[in-house]
mmCIF file of all heavy atoms in Angstrom:
data_model
loop_
_atom_site.group_PDB
_atom_site.id
_atom_site.type_symbol
_atom_site.label_atom_id
_atom_site.label_comp_id
_atom_site.label_asym_id
_atom_site.label_seq_id
_atom_site.Cartn_x
_atom_site.Cartn_y
_atom_site.Cartn_z
ATOM 1 N N ALA L 1 183.047 117.631 129.254
ATOM 2 C CA ALA L 1 182.182 116.594 129.045
ATOM 3 C C ALA L 1 182.364 115.894 127.631
ATOM 4 O O ALA L 1 181.867 114.806 127.442
ATOM 5 C CB ALA L 1 180.691 117.027 129.252
ATOM 6 N N LEU L 2 182.938 116.521 126.676
ATOM 7 C CA LEU L 2 183.086 116.000 125.399
ATOM 8 C C LEU L 2 184.482 115.537 125.002
ATOM 9 O O LEU L 2 184.718 115.505 123.818
ATOM 10 C CB LEU L 2 182.494 116.973 124.422
ATOM 11 C CG LEU L 2 181.104 117.403 124.531
ATOM 12 C CD1 LEU L 2 180.718 118.566 123.588
ATOM 13 C CD2 LEU L 2 180.131 116.261 124.336
ATOM 14 N N LEU L 3 185.274 115.170 125.871
ATOM 15 C CA LEU L 3 186.574 114.713 125.695
ATOM 16 C C LEU L 3 186.677 113.205 125.330
ATOM 17 O O LEU L 3 185.891 112.464 125.904
ATOM 18 C CB LEU L 3 187.450 115.093 126.733
ATOM 19 C CG LEU L 3 187.752 116.508 127.003
ATOM 20 C CD1 LEU L 3 188.758 116.725 128.128
ATOM 21 C CD2 LEU L 3 188.210 117.147 125.759
ATOM 22 N N THR L 4 187.585 112.822 124.562
ATOM 23 C CA THR L 4 187.910 111.475 124.337
ATOM 24 C C THR L 4 189.294 111.220 124.737
ATOM 25 O O THR L 4 190.125 111.983 124.334
ATOM 26 C CB THR L 4 187.756 111.147 122.833
ATOM 27 O OG1 THR L 4 186.544 111.394 122.296
ATOM 28 C CG2 THR L 4 188.185 109.710 122.423
ATOM 29 N N ALA L 5 189.490 110.209 125.579
ATOM 30 C CA ALA L 5 190.765 109.945 126.135
ATOM 31 C C ALA L 5 191.525 108.987 125.155
ATOM 32 O O ALA L 5 191.020 108.018 124.681
ATOM 33 C CB ALA L 5 190.713 109.341 127.516
ATOM 34 N N ILE L 6 192.778 109.286 124.824
ATOM 35 C CA ILE L 6 193.681 108.462 124.032
ATOM 36 C C ILE L 6 194.978 108.472 124.791
ATOM 37 O O ILE L 6 195.389 109.477 125.380
ATOM 38 C CB ILE L 6 193.642 108.889 122.658
ATOM 39 C CG1 ILE L 6 194.354 110.329 122.476
ATOM 40 C CG2 ILE L 6 192.463 108.751 121.935
ATOM 41 C CD1 ILE L 6 194.579 110.729 121.123
ATOM 42 N N SER L 7 195.769 107.420 124.559
ATOM 43 C CA SER L 7 197.110 107.311 125.193
ATOM 44 C C SER L 7 198.043 107.046 124.075
ATOM 45 O O SER L 7 197.826 106.290 123.215
ATOM 46 C CB SER L 7 197.072 106.145 126.209
ATOM 47 O OG SER L 7 198.375 105.980 126.730
ATOM 48 N N CYS L 8 199.216 107.629 124.218
ATOM 49 C CA CYS L 8 200.363 107.424 123.244
ATOM 50 C C CYS L 8 201.148 106.249 123.570
ATOM 51 O O CYS L 8 201.859 105.817 122.613
ATOM 52 C CB CYS L 8 201.148 108.715 123.212
ATOM 53 S SG CYS L 8 200.404 110.176 122.442
ATOM 54 N N ALA L 9 201.025 105.736 124.728
ATOM 55 C CA ALA L 9 201.948 104.573 125.094
ATOM 56 C C ALA L 9 201.339 103.913 126.255
ATOM 57 O O ALA L 9 200.428 104.365 126.865
ATOM 58 C CB ALA L 9 203.336 105.055 125.378
ATOM 59 N N GLY L 10 201.957 102.705 126.568
ATOM 60 C CA GLY L 10 201.498 101.856 127.699
ATOM 61 C C GLY L 10 200.969 100.601 127.228
ATOM 62 O O GLY L 10 200.697 100.391 126.115
ATOM 63 N N SER L 11 200.766 99.668 128.237
ATOM 64 C CA SER L 11 200.362 98.410 127.840
ATOM 65 C C SER L 11 198.878 98.340 127.700
ATOM 66 O O SER L 11 198.197 99.171 128.300
ATOM 67 C CB SER L 11 200.826 97.361 128.927
ATOM 68 O OG SER L 11 200.252 97.676 130.123
ATOM 69 N N SER L 12 198.370 97.287 127.116
ATOM 70 C CA SER L 12 196.923 97.177 126.852
ATOM 71 C C SER L 12 196.586 95.740 126.927
ATOM 72 O O SER L 12 197.322 94.836 126.601
ATOM 73 C CB SER L 12 196.564 97.788 125.524
ATOM 74 O OG SER L 12 195.221 97.493 125.318
ATOM 75 N N SER L 13 195.310 95.473 127.406
ATOM 76 C CA SER L 13 194.842 94.066 127.516
ATOM 77 C C SER L 13 194.154 93.605 126.217
ATOM 78 O O SER L 13 193.580 92.621 126.128
ATOM 79 C CB SER L 13 193.915 93.908 128.685
ATOM 80 O OG SER L 13 192.902 94.783 128.619
ATOM 81 N N ARG L 14 194.215 94.509 125.216
ATOM 82 C CA ARG L 14 193.527 94.219 123.936
ATOM 83 C C ARG L 14 194.372 93.312 123.159
ATOM 84 O O ARG L 14 195.493 93.019 123.510
ATOM 85 C CB ARG L 14 193.362 95.520 123.113
ATOM 86 C CG ARG L 14 192.571 96.572 123.823
ATOM 87 C CD ARG L 14 192.306 97.735 123.044
ATOM 88 N NE ARG L 14 191.727 98.919 123.773
ATOM 89 C CZ ARG L 14 190.429 98.922 124.230
ATOM 90 N NH1 ARG L 14 189.728 97.983 124.053
ATOM 91 N NH2 ARG L 14 190.038 99.961 124.880
ATOM 92 N N SER L 15 193.645 92.700 122.145
ATOM 93 C CA SER L 15 194.398 91.853 121.265
ATOM 94 C C SER L 15 195.607 92.505 120.546
ATOM 95 O O SER L 15 195.698 93.716 120.656
ATOM 96 C CB SER L 15 193.425 91.227 120.205
ATOM 97 O OG SER L 15 192.917 92.278 119.372
ATOM 98 N N ALA L 16 196.401 91.763 119.810
ATOM 99 C CA ALA L 16 197.470 92.273 119.103
ATOM 100 C C ALA L 16 196.983 93.459 118.182
ATOM 101 O O ALA L 16 195.899 93.571 117.680
ATOM 102 C CB ALA L 16 198.089 91.244 118.285
ATOM 103 N N PRO L 17 197.878 94.416 117.939
ATOM 104 C CA PRO L 17 197.592 95.512 117.110
ATOM 105 C C PRO L 17 197.116 95.129 115.729
ATOM 106 O O PRO L 17 197.555 94.015 115.224
ATOM 107 C CB PRO L 17 198.932 96.272 116.976
ATOM 108 C CG PRO L 17 199.684 95.937 118.134
ATOM 109 C CD PRO L 17 199.347 94.587 118.423
ATOM 110 N N ALA L 18 196.268 95.817 115.075
ATOM 111 C CA ALA L 18 195.814 95.579 113.730
ATOM 112 C C ALA L 18 196.901 95.657 112.782
ATOM 113 O O ALA L 18 197.853 96.460 112.951
ATOM 114 C CB ALA L 18 194.690 96.545 113.352
ATOM 115 N N GLU L 19 196.758 94.900 111.705
ATOM 116 C CA GLU L 19 197.730 95.014 110.580
ATOM 117 C C GLU L 19 197.613 96.506 110.013
ATOM 118 O O GLU L 19 196.612 97.062 110.132
ATOM 119 C CB GLU L 19 197.481 93.983 109.460
ATOM 120 C CG GLU L 19 197.620 92.530 109.910
ATOM 121 C CD GLU L 19 199.156 92.240 110.249
ATOM 122 O OE1 GLU L 19 199.965 92.616 109.568
ATOM 123 O OE2 GLU L 19 199.280 91.467 111.270
ATOM 124 N N GLU L 20 198.783 96.933 109.382
ATOM 125 C CA GLU L 20 198.707 98.250 108.769
ATOM 126 C C GLU L 20 197.624 98.266 107.712
ATOM 127 O O GLU L 20 197.410 97.295 106.941
ATOM 128 C CB GLU L 20 200.018 98.497 108.046
ATOM 129 C CG GLU L 20 200.095 99.955 107.446
ATOM 130 C CD GLU L 20 200.064 100.992 108.535
ATOM 131 O OE1 GLU L 20 200.516 100.767 109.637
ATOM 132 O OE2 GLU L 20 199.517 102.083 108.185
ATOM 133 N N GLY L 21 196.706 99.328 107.796
ATOM 134 C CA GLY L 21 195.650 99.431 106.922
ATOM 135 C C GLY L 21 194.362 98.549 107.263
ATOM 136 O O GLY L 21 193.360 98.589 106.578
ATOM 137 N N GLU L 22 194.373 97.999 108.481
ATOM 138 C CA GLU L 22 193.213 97.277 108.924
ATOM 139 C C GLU L 22 192.542 97.975 110.141
ATOM 140 O O GLU L 22 193.264 98.480 111.016
ATOM 141 C CB GLU L 22 193.770 95.862 109.338
ATOM 142 C CG GLU L 22 192.653 94.820 109.401
ATOM 143 C CD GLU L 22 193.390 93.448 109.702
ATOM 144 O OE1 GLU L 22 193.910 93.257 110.717
ATOM 145 O OE2 GLU L 22 193.219 92.603 108.868
ATOM 146 N N ALA L 23 191.364 97.940 110.225
ATOM 147 C CA ALA L 23 190.537 98.504 111.337
ATOM 148 C C ALA L 23 189.412 97.627 111.895
ATOM 149 O O ALA L 23 188.972 96.787 111.050
ATOM 150 C CB ALA L 23 189.922 99.851 110.880
ATOM 151 N N ALA L 24 189.068 97.864 112.986
ATOM 152 C CA ALA L 24 187.958 97.044 113.651
ATOM 153 C C ALA L 24 186.644 97.458 113.001
ATOM 154 O O ALA L 24 186.479 98.698 112.785
ATOM 155 C CB ALA L 24 187.960 97.038 115.110
ATOM 156 N N THR L 25 185.688 96.522 112.907
ATOM 157 C CA THR L 25 184.248 96.937 112.325
ATOM 158 C C THR L 25 183.276 96.007 112.982
ATOM 159 O O THR L 25 183.644 94.842 113.207
ATOM 160 C CB THR L 25 184.258 96.813 110.803
ATOM 161 O OG1 THR L 25 182.997 97.247 110.320
ATOM 162 C CG2 THR L 25 184.492 95.469 110.329
ATOM 163 N N LEU L 26 182.085 96.591 113.031
ATOM 164 C CA LEU L 26 180.922 95.702 113.400
ATOM 165 C C LEU L 26 180.182 95.275 112.092
ATOM 166 O O LEU L 26 179.256 94.443 112.154
ATOM 167 C CB LEU L 26 179.963 96.439 114.286
ATOM 168 C CG LEU L 26 180.226 96.419 115.746
ATOM 169 C CD1 LEU L 26 179.522 97.574 116.477
ATOM 170 C CD2 LEU L 26 180.128 95.113 116.382
ATOM 171 N N GLY L 27 180.421 95.844 111.010
ATOM 172 C CA GLY L 27 179.799 95.455 109.797
ATOM 173 C C GLY L 27 178.338 96.028 109.712
ATOM 174 O O GLY L 27 177.382 95.392 109.276
ATOM 175 N N ILE L 28 178.147 97.293 110.179
ATOM 176 C CA ILE L 28 176.903 97.916 110.167
ATOM 177 C C ILE L 28 176.987 99.392 109.756
ATOM 178 O O ILE L 28 178.115 99.959 109.929
ATOM 179 C CB ILE L 28 176.151 97.981 111.612
ATOM 180 C CG1 ILE L 28 177.096 98.625 112.688
ATOM 181 C CG2 ILE L 28 175.817 96.454 112.033
ATOM 182 C CD1 ILE L 28 176.591 98.786 113.972
ATOM 183 N N THR L 29 175.838 99.982 109.405
ATOM 184 C CA THR L 29 175.837 101.404 109.288
ATOM 185 C C THR L 29 174.786 101.797 110.311
ATOM 186 O O THR L 29 173.817 101.015 110.532
ATOM 187 C CB THR L 29 175.452 101.907 107.911
ATOM 188 O OG1 THR L 29 174.214 101.402 107.469
ATOM 189 C CG2 THR L 29 176.534 101.530 106.864
ATOM 190 N N THR L 30 174.800 103.020 110.827
ATOM 191 C CA THR L 30 173.863 103.421 111.871
ATOM 192 C C THR L 30 173.450 104.887 111.603
ATOM 193 O O THR L 30 174.033 105.594 110.769
ATOM 194 C CB THR L 30 174.493 103.384 113.200
ATOM 195 O OG1 THR L 30 175.511 104.358 113.385
ATOM 196 C CG2 THR L 30 174.988 101.948 113.618
ATOM 197 N N ARG L 31 172.414 105.240 112.153
ATOM 198 C CA ARG L 31 171.924 106.575 112.172
ATOM 199 C C ARG L 31 171.249 106.972 113.583
ATOM 200 O O ARG L 31 171.165 106.154 114.359
ATOM 201 C CB ARG L 31 170.667 106.713 111.137
ATOM 202 C CG ARG L 31 169.585 105.916 111.339
ATOM 203 C CD ARG L 31 168.450 106.125 110.265
ATOM 204 N NE ARG L 31 167.373 105.202 110.601
ATOM 205 C CZ ARG L 31 166.440 105.301 111.599
ATOM 206 N NH1 ARG L 31 166.552 106.352 112.377
ATOM 207 N NH2 ARG L 31 165.537 104.498 111.691
ATOM 208 N N ALA L 32 171.137 108.312 113.684
ATOM 209 C CA ALA L 32 170.568 108.741 114.931
ATOM 210 C C ALA L 32 169.073 108.384 115.070
ATOM 211 O O ALA L 32 168.343 108.416 114.031
ATOM 212 C CB ALA L 32 170.686 110.273 114.961
ATOM 213 N N PRO L 33 168.592 108.118 116.232
ATOM 214 C CA PRO L 33 167.077 107.764 116.410
ATOM 215 C C PRO L 33 166.353 109.035 116.184
ATOM 216 O O PRO L 33 166.865 110.195 116.473
ATOM 217 C CB PRO L 33 167.029 107.409 117.846
ATOM 218 C CG PRO L 33 168.319 107.179 118.410
ATOM 219 C CD PRO L 33 169.273 107.949 117.545
ATOM 220 N N SER L 34 165.217 108.917 115.669
ATOM 221 C CA SER L 34 164.177 110.044 115.485
ATOM 222 C C SER L 34 163.630 110.204 116.852
ATOM 223 O O SER L 34 163.649 109.410 117.771
ATOM 224 C CB SER L 34 163.103 109.651 114.425
ATOM 225 O OG SER L 34 162.306 108.685 114.941
#
């Protein structure tokens, strides 16, 4: 139940890979609900 799937190769319908040193962000910080 706690696994995360990742793939080492294969095609993707996502946009072009990020530039080196660049990551996707939502521009938020979050916390767990009380």
Side-chain angles (χ1 to χ4, degrees):
L2 297 176
L3 292 182
T4 298
I6 59 175
S7 177
C8 291
S11 62
S12 175
S13 61
R14 300 186 191 288
S15 62
E19 295 295 320
E20 185 65 33
E22 201 175 62
T25 183
L26 277 168
I28 57 174
T29 58
T30 67
R31 62 174 175 76
S34 67

